[in-house]
Amino acid sequence: MLLSGGDRTPDACAEIQEDLKGYELLNPMQREAVFCTEGPVLVLAGAGSGKTRVLTHRIAYLIEKKQVNPWNILAITFTNKAAGEMRERVDRQVEAGASSVWVSTFHSACVRILRRHIDFLGYETNFTIYDTDDQKTVMKQVYKAMNVNSKLYKEREVAGYISGAKNELITPSEYMRLAAGDAREQMVARIYEEYQKFLKKNNALDFDDLIMKTVELFRTQPEVLDYYQERFRYIMVDEYQDTNKAQFELVRLLASKYRNLCVVGDDDQSIYKFRGADIGNILNFEESFPGARVIKLEQNYRSTQNILDAANFVIRNNKGRKDKTLWTANGKGDPIVYRQFDQAYEEAEFIIRDILAKGCPFEECAVLYRTNAQSRMLEEQCISYNVPYRLVGGVNFYQRKEIKDILAYLKTISNGRDDLAVSRVVNVPKRGIGAASIGKVTVFASANDYSMYEAMCRAKVIPGLGKAADKIGKFTDLIEEFRIRMKEKDYTLHQLIRDILDETGYREELEQEGEVEAESRLENIDELINKAVSYWSGAKAPSLEEFLEEVALVADVDRLDPTEKRITLMTLHSAKGLEFENVYLSGLEDGLFPNYMTIYSDDPGDLEEERRLCYVGITRARKKLTITAARMRMIKGETRYSRVSRFVEEIPEELLKASRLEPRLSFKKMEAAANPYASGTGAGSTYSGNSFAKVTPPPQPAFGKTFTVQKAKNLDYQEGDRVTHIKFGAGTVEHIKDGPKDYEVTVNFDKSGVKKMFASFAKLERIQ
């Protein structure tokens, strides 16, 4: 019985009043989502609109008012935590029979089904489920059996392809058919086939198999499918925007008989494409399930109207979405604060100082950023101001594996007596120096009172090392070469780190992985290089030893009392589903957020996903939202200039309280150094004092000013010449690249290091 419609009889009105008992606290649209129980229903639940309340009340309504048997209800969500929370709320809401309702994740539901019926597919019901480590072991054995070159076909990369294929319900034979004419893809198909044979032989499934095999079971065994269609006459799916093709097909098959399917989700919060999520599942729901009713939950119970208006204005620029507008009864609230800084470290310092100045409880403060590497400056500022913090979805910057690896190299170069550092990197990346060889070195070192490194320098006299002695010798030769370079006058710490990455093969090994995780590790190493550049240019007498000491002091966060309440530092992806009173969105610059890959992607959906990520970030805030950006940010050890993010420009000026710190450089000088091609689409912005004014010209260069680029016929300097720059001072021209619109000049400045810039804006003058 719905709350909308035509004229009603007295009996119908009485029935409505009976239905309302216990549901009076729901708003009208929530009640409609609860009471609309028959047929396919899409509940578009905007951020903070109370979707979990709707789901639990809907289950209660089905049992208590519609007399549906609890065991005929299936509620699916994505994580064990979400399933546990829903289970608790259902138990509280439903007086009797709640335990018979299936509340589970996709994977756990499929395990229960396969435990009973997988014998139809030729497996035994006591199958083993392989985790990620088990998968790695299987891949190694498959590679060995097939004699696959792991340098050409990285195990983790191929495992990712196989996982993606299973999420798309592509079998090994179908993969081979699709790979026709592509030798590399055909090899992946053969590995996929052997991998599946190995699993079958061992009566094992990986996590992707759990859903794929259940779909296969339903497709090939109609009587099994019919049993579960009868069992689950009412199906509810949470976070529907995050489903992939296999999950969609599983739900479609189960719901195809009675069609009582209710999915709840928000297309504007679909941010997991890289995990296989298909936003088309929610956008095309009405086509997949004809006659579906669409109910929008637009009332937000979390944020102020100013915050919601900002989110609405940003997300409406996406074309691939369902139209909805968030609103709240919470009041207008404070304007959104926007601060732009000259330098990224000023941005980080401001955020931590502002948290202290506001006096907001630490646990109600969150700083969100696009990439893990951005946490480094924030962590250092937290420690500098003695502000307790926690990292969500990550570890302390200096505790990340790749950072500890590079620091271990630096420690070995600085002090060969650090056995822990030497042991960490002697076979990183892999040099064929096994544990047995390390053990022999350790015994020799102990017997002769040597450090580990000193013993390695004498590898040729260590009994039983054999060929490993030469491999260890190459490692120590490399360390000694780095030590010699560090004694050179003009050799810098950041040059040393780059040389370590290149000459040890560490960078190459990460690049060959070709995965998102590997890219993140390289970004973190680039951030360490940024740290090294900043230290080297700012220290009075820079040295490797002093740098390691400074890092050690910053990295020592164990002294923080674990019982203290802390601010939260996290990536935007990690923030989904959370909320805080006081939120900071940092690094809102074109090229960083959105990142360059999405800006220049051939697929417009990539940029739209970045915008959805921004929407998620904005809607995490309850009362206060601060957006920050930096004009200059060090990336890969080089200073780069960026314009404000297009997402900021999509927020109307009346919602913003915009200001900036007094710049260290005049705006005119900033123009001269800016990259004219660092522009995006959409409105630009100009700044005057503390005001923020919107302009709507064609695509703008950095900082919203319009420049006319006039390429010089020739330059009055050439490679090798000494030149001077208005900010960076004197330097030597290393390279000049003749581009279509301007000359790109690379200059090694005496104090600021190597920088790339365009000649028309750099205004370099030759030193006579």
Side-chain angles (χ1 to χ4, degrees), residues 566-587:
R566 306 166 181 238
I567 69 170
T568 300
L569 309 179
M570 65 171 69
T571 63
L572 285 147
H573 280 100
S574 299
K576 188 170 177 288
L578 303 176
E579 59 183 76
F580 303 88
E581 181 177 325
N582 185 24
V583 170
Y584 296 82
L585 290 184
S586 64

Side-chain angles (χ1 to χ4, degrees), residues 247-303:
Q247 291 160 338
F248 165 81
E249 181 63 10
L250 177 72
V251 171
R252 188 193 68 80
L253 287 167
L254 282 173
S256 59
K257 186 172 186 177
Y258 288 101
R259 301 183 77 247
N260 297 325
L261 171 65
C262 174
V263 302
V264 181
D266 183 3
D267 53 303
D268 290 334
Q269 296 188 72
S270 179
I271 59 173
Y272 295 124
K273 181 181 178 181
F274 66 95
R275 294 181 184 170
D278 184 356
I279 192 174
N281 290 346
I282 193 168
L283 293 181
N284 303 322
F285 185 82
E286 296 98 312
E287 288 75 25
S288 302
F289 300 93
R293 185 182 188 109
V294 179
I295 301 170
K296 299 179 183 180
L297 304 184
E298 297 172 294
Q299 182 175 359
N300 176 283
Y301 293 91
R302 175 190 301 158
S303 308

Side-chain angles (χ1 to χ4, degrees), residues 59-296:
I59 293 172
Y61 181 77
L62 283 168
I63 296 172
E64 296 172 352
K65 304 295 184 180
K66 303 293 289 185
Q67 305 303 310
V68 173
N69 292 320
W71 52 87
N72 289 144
I73 300 172
L74 170 65
I76 300 179
T77 188
F78 271 81
T79 66
N80 289 320
K81 179 182 178 183
E85 290 175 352
M86 188 181 294
R87 172 90 268 166
E88 290 178 6
R89 294 177 73 163
V90 169
D91 289 344
R92 290 197 302 267
Q93 187 77 16
V94 179
E95 294 183 359
S99 60
S100 298
V101 178
W102 267 34
V103 180
S104 68
T105 64
F106 274 101
H107 290 98
S108 60
C110 288
V111 169
R112 292 179 69 175
I113 293 169
L114 292 173
R115 287 293 183 204
R116 292 189 60 183
H117 306 287
I118 199 172
D119 53 322
F120 284 105
L121 302 180
Y123 290 77
E124 295 179 17
T125 55
N126 62 342
F127 59 85
T128 301
I129 301 173
Y130 280 176
D131 62 16
T132 304
D133 289 336
D134 295 326
Q135 286 178 272
K136 292 177 183 177
T137 302
V138 174
M139 288 297 288
K140 288 183 183 297
Q141 295 188 35
V142 169
Y143 270 46
K144 185 177 181 180
M146 295 180 64
N147 196 26
V148 177
N149 187 336
S150 60
K151 291 185 178 179
L152 293 177
Y153 298 91
K154 292 292 183 181
E155 293 169 10
R156 292 179 62 181
E157 185 176 3
V158 173
Y161 292 150
I162 293 174
S163 176
K166 291 182 178 182
N167 289 337
E168 292 291 315
L169 298 174
I170 298 173
T171 64
S173 59
E174 289 173 314
Y175 200 113
M176 180 62 75
R177 180 177 57 81
L178 294 171
D182 188 324
R184 183 174 180 82
E185 287 295 302
Q186 288 177 334
M187 173 56 80
V188 173
R190 286 194 287 271
I191 295 171
Y192 181 11
E193 183 178 28
E194 288 301 312
Y195 174 80
Q196 287 304 110
K197 286 180 180 178
F198 188 98
L199 292 181
K200 182 74 175 292
K201 179 183 176 183
N202 288 272
N203 194 40
L205 304 178
D206 62 23
F207 274 89
D208 296 315
D209 279 329
L210 295 176
I211 297 176
M212 187 176 185
K213 291 298 180 184
T214 306
V215 171
E216 181 183 345
L217 176 69
F218 287 164
R219 285 176 170 177
T220 60
Q221 307 298 323
E223 69 281 5
V224 176
L225 174 60
D226 185 69
Y227 171 82
Y228 284 101
Q229 288 174 335
E230 288 292 333
R231 173 69 189 269
F232 302 126
R233 299 190 179 195
Y234 292 86
I235 301 170
M236 280 161 276
V237 183
D238 193 13
E239 301 289 2
Y240 188 70
Q241 77 280 349
D242 294 334
T243 54
N244 58 33
K245 181 176 179 179
Q247 291 160 338
F248 165 81
E249 181 63 10
L250 177 72
V251 171
R252 188 193 68 80
L253 287 167
L254 282 173
S256 59
K257 186 172 186 177
Y258 288 101
R259 301 183 77 247
N260 297 325
L261 171 65
C262 174
V263 302
V264 181
D266 183 3
D267 53 303
D268 290 334
Q269 296 188 72
S270 179
I271 59 173
Y272 295 124
K273 181 181 178 181
F274 66 95
R275 294 181 184 170
D278 184 356
I279 192 174
N281 290 346
I282 193 168
L283 293 181
N284 303 322
F285 185 82
E286 296 98 312
E287 288 75 25
S288 302
F289 300 93
R293 185 182 188 109
V294 179
I295 301 170
K296 299 179 183 180

Side-chain angles (χ1 to χ4, degrees), residues 472-489:
I472 292 173
K474 290 180 180 178
F475 168 73
T476 56
D477 288 346
L478 191 60
I479 297 299
E480 293 302 317
E481 172 62 24
F482 288 145
R483 287 178 174 178
I484 292 171
R485 293 180 198 175
M486 280 304 295
K487 294 178 181 178
E488 297 174 4
K489 183 180 179 181

